[in-house]
Coordinates of all heavy atoms in Angstrom, one line a residue:
V1 N 72.8 31.8 -86.8 CA 73.1 31.4 -88.3 C 72.3 32.3 -89.3 O 72.9 32.7 -90.3 CB 72.7 29.9 -88.6 CG1 72.9 29.6 -90.1 CG2 73.5 29.0 -87.7
I2 N 71.1 32.5 -89.0 CA 70.3 33.4 -90.0 C 69.2 34.1 -89.2 O 68.7 33.7 -88.1 CB 69.6 32.4 -91.0 CG1 68.8 33.1 -92.1 CG2 68.7 31.4 -90.4 CD1 68.6 32.3 -93.2
F3 N 69.0 35.4 -89.6 CA 68.0 36.2 -89.1 C 66.9 36.6 -90.0 O 67.3 36.8 -91.2 CB 68.6 37.5 -88.3 CG 69.6 37.2 -87.5 CD1 71.0 37.8 -87.4 CD2 69.4 36.3 -86.4 CE1 71.9 37.5 -86.5 CE2 70.2 36.1 -85.4 CZ 71.6 36.7 -85.4
A4 N 65.7 37.0 -89.6 CA 64.7 37.5 -90.6 C 65.1 38.9 -91.0 O 64.7 39.5 -92.1 CB 63.3 37.4 -89.9
Q5 N 65.7 39.7 -90.2 CA 65.8 41.1 -90.2 C 67.2 41.5 -91.0 O 67.1 42.7 -91.5 CB 65.7 41.7 -89.0 CG 66.7 41.5 -87.9 CD 66.4 40.2 -87.1 OE1 65.4 39.8 -87.3 NE2 67.3 39.7 -86.4
S6 N 68.3 40.9 -90.9 CA 69.5 41.3 -91.4 C 70.5 40.2 -91.4 O 70.3 39.1 -90.8 CB 69.9 42.5 -90.6 OG 70.2 42.1 -89.3
P7 N 71.6 40.5 -92.0 CA 72.8 39.4 -92.0 C 73.3 39.2 -90.5 O 73.1 40.2 -89.7 CB 73.8 40.1 -92.9 CG 73.2 41.2 -93.7 CD 72.1 41.6 -92.7
T8 N 73.9 38.1 -90.4 CA 74.6 37.8 -89.2 C 76.2 38.1 -89.4 O 76.5 38.6 -90.5 CB 74.6 36.3 -88.8 OG1 75.1 36.3 -87.6 CG2 75.3 35.4 -89.7
I9 N 77.0 38.0 -88.5 CA 78.4 38.3 -88.6 C 79.1 36.9 -88.7 O 78.6 35.9 -88.1 CB 79.0 39.0 -87.4 CG1 80.3 39.4 -87.6 CG2 78.8 38.2 -86.0 CD1 80.9 40.4 -86.5
I10 N 80.2 36.9 -89.4 CA 81.1 35.7 -89.6 C 82.2 36.0 -88.5 O 83.0 36.7 -88.8 CB 81.6 35.6 -91.0 CG1 80.4 35.4 -92.0 CG2 82.5 34.3 -91.0 CD1 79.4 34.4 -91.8
A11 N 81.9 35.4 -87.4 CA 82.7 35.9 -86.3 C 84.1 35.2 -86.2 O 84.3 34.2 -85.6 CB 81.9 35.5 -84.9
L12 N 85.0 35.9 -86.6 CA 86.5 35.5 -86.6 C 87.0 35.5 -85.2 O 86.4 36.3 -84.3 CB 87.2 36.5 -87.5 CG 86.9 36.5 -89.0 CD1 87.8 37.5 -89.7 CD2 87.1 35.2 -89.6
P13 N 87.9 34.7 -84.8 CA 88.7 33.9 -85.7 C 88.2 32.4 -86.2 O 88.8 31.9 -87.0 CB 89.9 33.7 -84.8 CG 89.3 33.6 -83.4 CD 88.3 34.5 -83.3
D14 N 87.2 32.0 -85.6 CA 86.6 30.7 -85.9 C 85.4 30.8 -86.8 O 85.0 29.6 -87.2 CB 86.5 29.8 -84.7 CG 85.2 30.4 -83.9 OD1 85.1 31.6 -83.8 OD2 84.5 29.6 -83.2
G15 N 85.0 31.9 -87.2 CA 83.9 32.0 -88.1 C 84.5 31.8 -89.5 O 85.7 32.1 -89.7
N16 N 83.7 31.3 -90.5 CA 84.3 30.9 -91.7 C 83.2 31.0 -92.8 O 82.2 30.3 -92.7 CB 84.8 29.5 -91.7 CG 85.5 29.1 -93.0 OD1 84.8 28.9 -94.0 ND2 86.8 28.9 -93.0
L17 N 83.3 31.9 -93.9 CA 82.3 32.1 -94.8 C 82.1 30.8 -95.7 O 80.9 30.7 -96.0 CB 82.8 33.3 -95.7 CG 81.5 33.7 -96.6 CD1 80.3 34.0 -95.9 CD2 82.1 35.0 -97.4
R18 N 83.1 30.1 -95.9 CA 83.0 28.8 -96.7 C 82.0 27.9 -95.9 O 81.1 27.3 -96.6 CB 84.3 28.3 -97.0 CG 84.4 27.3 -98.3 CD 85.8 27.1 -98.6 NE 85.9 26.4 -99.9 CZ 87.1 26.2 -100.4 NH1 88.2 26.5 -99.7 NH2 87.2 25.5 -101.5
D19 N 82.3 27.7 -94.6 CA 81.3 26.8 -93.9 C 80.0 27.5 -93.8 O 79.1 26.7 -93.7 CB 81.9 26.8 -92.5 CG 83.2 25.9 -92.4 OD1 83.5 25.2 -93.3 OD2 83.8 26.1 -91.4
Y20 N 79.8 28.8 -93.7 CA 78.5 29.4 -93.7 C 77.8 29.1 -94.8 O 76.6 28.7 -94.7 CB 78.8 30.9 -93.4 CG 77.5 31.7 -93.1 CD1 76.8 31.5 -92.0 CD2 76.8 32.5 -94.2 CE1 75.6 32.1 -91.8 CE2 75.6 33.0 -93.9 CZ 75.1 33.0 -92.6 OH 73.8 33.5 -92.5
F21 N 78.2 29.2 -96.1 CA 77.5 28.9 -97.2 C 77.0 27.4 -97.2 O 76.0 27.1 -97.6 CB 78.5 29.1 -98.5 CG 78.5 30.6 -98.9 CD1 79.6 31.1 -99.2 CD2 77.3 31.4 -99.1 CE1 79.8 32.6 -99.7 CE2 77.4 32.7 -99.4 CZ 78.6 33.3 -99.7
E22 N 77.9 26.6 -96.8 CA 77.6 25.1 -96.6 C 76.3 24.9 -95.7 O 75.5 24.1 -96.0 CB 78.7 24.3 -96.3 CG 78.5 22.8 -96.2 CD 78.1 22.2 -97.4 OE1 78.3 22.8 -98.6 OE2 77.3 21.1 -97.4
S23 N 76.4 25.7 -94.6 CA 75.4 25.6 -93.5 C 74.0 26.1 -94.1 O 72.9 25.4 -93.9 CB 75.7 26.4 -92.3 OG 76.8 25.7 -91.6
L24 N 74.1 27.1 -94.9 CA 72.8 27.7 -95.5 C 72.2 26.6 -96.6 O 71.1 26.4 -96.6 CB 73.0 29.0 -96.2 CG 73.3 30.3 -95.2 CD1 73.7 31.5 -96.1 CD2 72.2 30.4 -94.3
R25 N 73.2 26.1 -97.2 CA 72.8 25.0 -98.2 C 72.2 23.8 -97.5 O 71.1 23.3 -98.0 CB 74.0 24.5 -98.9 CG 73.6 23.5 -100.1 CD 74.9 22.8 -100.6 NE 75.5 22.0 -99.6 CZ 74.9 20.8 -99.1 NH1 73.8 20.2 -99.6 NH2 75.6 20.1 -98.1
Y26 N 72.7 23.4 -96.3 CA 72.2 22.3 -95.6 C 70.8 22.7 -95.0 O 69.7 21.9 -95.1 CB 73.0 22.0 -94.4 CG 72.8 20.7 -93.6 CD1 71.9 19.7 -94.2 CD2 73.2 20.7 -92.2 CE1 71.7 18.6 -93.4 CE2 72.9 19.6 -91.6 CZ 72.0 18.5 -92.1 OH 71.8 17.5 -91.3
L27 N 70.6 23.9 -94.5 CA 69.3 24.3 -94.1 C 68.2 24.3 -95.3 O 67.2 23.9 -95.0 CB 69.3 25.7 -93.5 CG 69.8 25.8 -91.9 CD1 69.9 27.3 -91.6 CD2 68.9 25.1 -91.1
K28 N 68.7 24.8 -96.3 CA 67.8 24.8 -97.5 C 67.3 23.4 -97.9 O 66.0 23.3 -98.1 CB 68.5 25.5 -98.7 CG 67.6 25.7 -99.8 CD 68.3 26.4 -101.1 CE 68.7 27.8 -100.7 NZ 69.1 28.6 -102.0
E29 N 68.3 22.4 -97.8 CA 67.8 21.0 -98.2 C 66.9 20.6 -97.2 O 65.9 19.9 -97.6 CB 69.1 20.2 -98.0 CG 70.0 20.4 -99.4 CD 71.2 19.5 -99.4 OE1 71.3 18.7 -98.4 OE2 72.0 19.5 -100.2
L30 N 67.1 20.8 -95.9 CA 66.2 20.2 -94.8 C 64.8 20.9 -95.0 O 63.8 20.2 -94.9 CB 66.7 20.6 -93.5 CG 67.9 19.8 -93.1 CD1 68.5 20.4 -91.6 CD2 67.6 18.4 -92.9
V31 N 64.8 22.2 -95.3 CA 63.3 22.9 -95.5 C 62.7 22.4 -96.8 O 61.5 22.0 -96.9 CB 63.6 24.4 -95.5 CG1 62.2 25.0 -95.9 CG2 64.0 24.8 -94.2
K32 N 63.5 22.1 -97.9 CA 62.9 21.6 -99.2 C 62.4 20.3 -99.0 O 61.4 20.1 -99.7 CB 64.0 21.7 -100.2 CG 64.2 23.0 -100.8 CD 65.2 23.0 -102.0 CE 65.4 24.3 -102.7 NZ 66.3 24.3 -103.8
E33 N 62.9 19.6 -98.1 CA 62.2 18.2 -97.8 C 60.9 18.3 -97.3 O 60.1 17.3 -97.5 CB 63.1 17.4 -96.8 CG 64.5 17.0 -97.4 CD 65.4 16.3 -96.3 OE1 65.0 16.2 -95.2 OE2 66.6 15.9 -96.8
G34 N 60.4 19.3 -96.9 CA 59.0 19.7 -96.5 C 58.6 19.4 -95.1 O 57.4 19.7 -94.7
F35 N 59.4 19.0 -94.2 CA 59.1 18.8 -92.9 C 59.1 19.9 -92.0 O 58.1 20.3 -91.2 CB 59.8 17.5 -92.3 CG 59.4 17.2 -90.9 CD1 58.2 16.5 -90.7 CD2 60.1 17.5 -89.7 CE1 57.7 16.3 -89.4 CE2 59.7 17.3 -88.5 CZ 58.4 16.6 -88.3
Y36 N 60.3 20.7 -92.0 CA 60.5 21.8 -91.2 C 60.0 23.1 -91.9 O 60.3 23.3 -93.0 CB 62.0 21.9 -90.9 CG 62.6 20.8 -90.1 CD1 63.3 19.9 -90.6 CD2 62.2 20.7 -88.7 CE1 63.8 18.7 -89.9 CE2 62.7 19.6 -87.9 CZ 63.5 18.6 -88.6 OH 63.9 17.6 -87.7
T37 N 59.1 23.8 -91.2 CA 58.6 24.9 -91.8 C 58.9 26.2 -91.1 O 58.5 27.2 -91.6 CB 56.9 24.8 -91.5 OG1 56.7 24.6 -90.1 CG2 56.5 23.5 -92.2
S38 N 59.7 26.4 -90.0 CA 60.1 27.6 -89.4 C 61.4 27.4 -88.9 O 61.9 26.2 -88.5 CB 59.1 28.0 -88.4 OG 59.0 27.2 -87.3
L39 N 62.2 28.5 -88.8 CA 63.4 28.7 -88.2 C 63.4 29.6 -87.0 O 62.9 30.8 -87.2 CB 64.6 29.2 -89.2 CG 64.7 28.3 -90.4 CD1 65.8 29.1 -91.5 CD2 65.0 27.0 -90.2
L40 N 63.8 29.2 -85.8 CA 63.7 30.0 -84.6 C 65.1 30.5 -84.4 O 66.0 29.8 -83.8 CB 63.3 29.2 -83.4 CG 62.0 28.3 -83.7 CD1 61.6 27.5 -82.5 CD2 60.9 29.2 -84.1
S41 N 65.4 31.8 -84.7 CA 66.7 32.5 -84.6 C 67.0 32.8 -83.2 O 66.1 33.0 -82.4 CB 66.9 33.6 -85.5 OG 65.9 34.6 -85.2
G42 N 68.3 33.3 -83.0 CA 68.7 33.7 -81.7 C 68.3 35.1 -81.4 O 68.3 35.6 -80.2
H43 N 67.9 35.8 -82.4 CA 67.7 37.3 -82.1 C 66.5 37.7 -83.2 O 66.6 37.3 -84.4 CB 68.8 38.2 -82.3 CG 69.9 37.9 -81.5 ND1 70.1 38.3 -80.1 CD2 71.0 37.3 -81.8 CE1 71.1 37.9 -79.7 NE2 71.7 37.2 -80.6
G44 N 65.5 38.3 -82.8 CA 64.5 38.7 -83.7 C 63.3 37.7 -83.9 O 63.2 36.6 -83.3
V45 N 62.5 38.0 -84.9 CA 61.2 37.2 -85.1 C 61.6 35.8 -85.6 O 62.6 35.6 -86.3 CB 60.2 38.0 -85.9 CG1 59.9 39.3 -85.4 CG2 61.0 38.2 -87.3
P46 N 60.7 34.7 -85.4 CA 60.8 33.6 -86.0 C 60.7 33.7 -87.6 O 60.0 34.5 -87.9 CB 59.6 32.7 -85.4 CG 59.3 33.5 -84.2 CD 59.6 34.9 -84.3
I47 N 61.4 32.9 -88.2 CA 61.4 32.9 -89.7 C 60.4 31.9 -90.1 O 60.5 30.7 -90.1 CB 62.9 32.5 -90.3 CG1 63.8 33.7 -89.7 CG2 62.8 32.5 -91.8 CD1 65.3 33.2 -90.0
E48 N 59.2 32.4 -90.7 CA 58.2 31.6 -91.1 C 58.3 31.3 -92.7 O 57.5 30.5 -93.2 CB 56.8 32.4 -90.8 CG 56.6 32.6 -89.4 CD 56.6 31.5 -88.4 OE1 56.5 30.2 -89.0 OE2 56.7 31.6 -87.2

């Protein structure tokens, strides 16, 4: 979903940029609530 180093791909045919923006918004809400402090991505360094 997200990397520290660069953008991901919206992987067609089932990737969807509208859904992607919503997923970023959801992640932002979860982090803003203050409990989750890091994201562990599929490639590259953890997002601190």
Side-chain angles (χ1 to χ4, degrees):
V1 175
I2 188 169
F3 304 128
Q5 62 277 349
S6 62
T8 189
I9 189 173
I10 306 302
L12 300 178
D14 65 329
N16 183 289
L17 186 54
R18 207 169 187 174
D19 289 344
Y20 185 72
F21 279 133
E22 181 62 23
S23 290
L24 290 180
R25 184 197 63 77
Y26 185 27
L27 277 178
K28 185 182 290 188
E29 286 183 357
L30 288 176
V31 174
K32 280 185 174 180
E33 289 174 359
F35 182 75
Y36 295 106
T37 59
S38 65
L39 305 178
L40 309 181
S41 63
H43 305 278
V45 299
I47 299 169
E48 304 294 349

